Amino acid sequence: MDTHTPMRAEPGTLGHDLRHHGDAEVRDDGSALVDLAVNVRADTPPVWLRERMAASLGSLAAYPDGRAARAAVAERHGLPVERVLLTAGAAEAFVLLARALKVRRPVVVHPQFTEPEAALRDAGHTVDRVLLRAADGFRLDPAAVPEEADLVVVGNPTNPTSVLHPAGVLAGLARPGRTLVVDEAFMDAVPGEREALAGRVDVPGLVVLRSLTKTWGLAGLRIGYVLAAPETVAELERAQPLWPVSTPALAAAEACVAPRALAEAAHAAHRVAADRAHLVAGLAEFAGAGLRVVGPAEGPFVLVRLPDAAAVRRRLRGLGFAVRRGDTFPGLGEEWLRLAVRDRATSDRFLRALHRAIPAPA
């Protein structure tokens, strides 16, 4: 995995559990644990958003009408409505892309969110992987992506590495006849959304996915959207079932792209950045135990590498904390853990638990 040259795309194997996600860490016997495994912002959704969704319940007898929400999303990104498709979370968008697009050689850049590859495999595609290297800080080398790839999927900032790729590097992956899918599910957690491609119409074949579930705590509601050329949106829409987004989810989408919400999200992004810096500084104290943080982290989570991470994760559960195992991500192994950024008090409690979970040197 840490060779001296970038790994070119290679046939993916089923050696990783692509369907494992952070919520598995806090189900059943993990429900009482402090959750550092799921990347949904804490203390959400806010009261004003819950009230907005509750007000929509009186309209449930009618079929959902997504026109207002679609127009609001389009206005938020300065796009015509024909370039917007609302989805039941970003995960549905990956399924639509896999089923609707006629592609011959899809490539997924890993480590990243595993649902794109899982959806492509379920749709019968043979998926190639580009594995980014820890030795390079999981930075993308465009030369590692084969020219013949007609679908390329990459996250920005990437889950689980928290790497923010330069927009110019990603835009440079565009080619005639290629669909370039950029998963920006966590971009609104980046101050200023720097390096975002959402709203760009000058990049051929660009498809940007956004999620409203992370920043606003709507994972149980399922709401996201696709930004793409009108012909791509039309193809994806034909693959959707009728009324795919519920009335409360449409109300949430409209509310979350309003100026008030955008200002609140921007403030939250700066707070997350400060809380992340606090967590990373605390983790630096474990360098002597072999712990390394992938940096600079730019998302609402950090990826760490440490010896015997699987055992440390189990000890942390015994101490009341759930963290995300890394070995289900292609390109990572059992020595990796992902930690969600929480408030400073929670991080301090976690760091004290980590002191107890990491064995003292012999």
Side-chain angles (χ1 to χ4, degrees), residues 121-178:
R121 288 184 176 281
D122 287 347
H125 296 284
T126 298
V127 182
D128 288 351
R129 294 173 177 171
V130 169
L131 300 180
L132 305 185
R133 305 185 317 131
D136 297 329
F138 296 108
R139 302 292 169 194
L140 175 62
D141 179 357
V145 178
E147 284 296 319
E148 58 270 27
D150 58 354
L151 174 70
V152 178
V153 184
V154 61
N156 204 38
T158 303
N159 170 24
T161 63
S162 208
V163 168
L164 183 65
H165 302 291
V169 170
L170 297 185
L173 292 174
R175 300 283 189 279
R178 172 184 289 176

Side-chain angles (χ1 to χ4, degrees), residues 19-32:
R19 295 297 191 187
H20 181 91
H21 300 294
D23 60 325
E25 310 281 356
V26 290
R27 290 179 185 156
D28 303 325
D29 63 341
S31 60

Side-chain angles (χ1 to χ4, degrees), residues 53-144:
M53 291 184 290
S56 74
L57 299 181
S59 304
L60 292 186
Y63 286 97
D65 183 348
R67 289 175 296 176
R70 188 178 183 185
V73 170
E75 182 179 0
R76 182 256 193 269
H77 291 287
L79 295 171
V81 293
E82 293 80 10
R83 284 183 167 267
V84 175
L85 180 68
L86 302 175
T87 59
E92 188 206 7
F94 291 124
V95 172
L96 296 177
L97 288 163
R99 293 179 178 177
L101 300 187
K102 307 297 188 291
V103 296
R104 298 178 308 280
R105 188 171 182 186
V107 170
V108 179
V109 179
H110 286 289
Q112 78 147 340
F113 185 52
T114 53
E115 280 301 313
E117 180 172 327
L120 286 163
R121 288 184 176 281
D122 287 347
H125 296 284
T126 298
V127 182
D128 288 351
R129 294 173 177 171
V130 169
L131 300 180
L132 305 185
R133 305 185 317 131
D136 297 329
F138 296 108
R139 302 292 169 194
L140 175 62
D141 179 357

Side-chain angles (χ1 to χ4, degrees), residues 272-298:
V272 166
D275 289 341
R276 183 181 60 238
H278 180 78
L279 173 62
V280 170
L283 292 170
E285 299 179 12
F286 297 90
L291 186 149
R292 299 291 183 269
V293 180
V294 174
E298 299 286 358

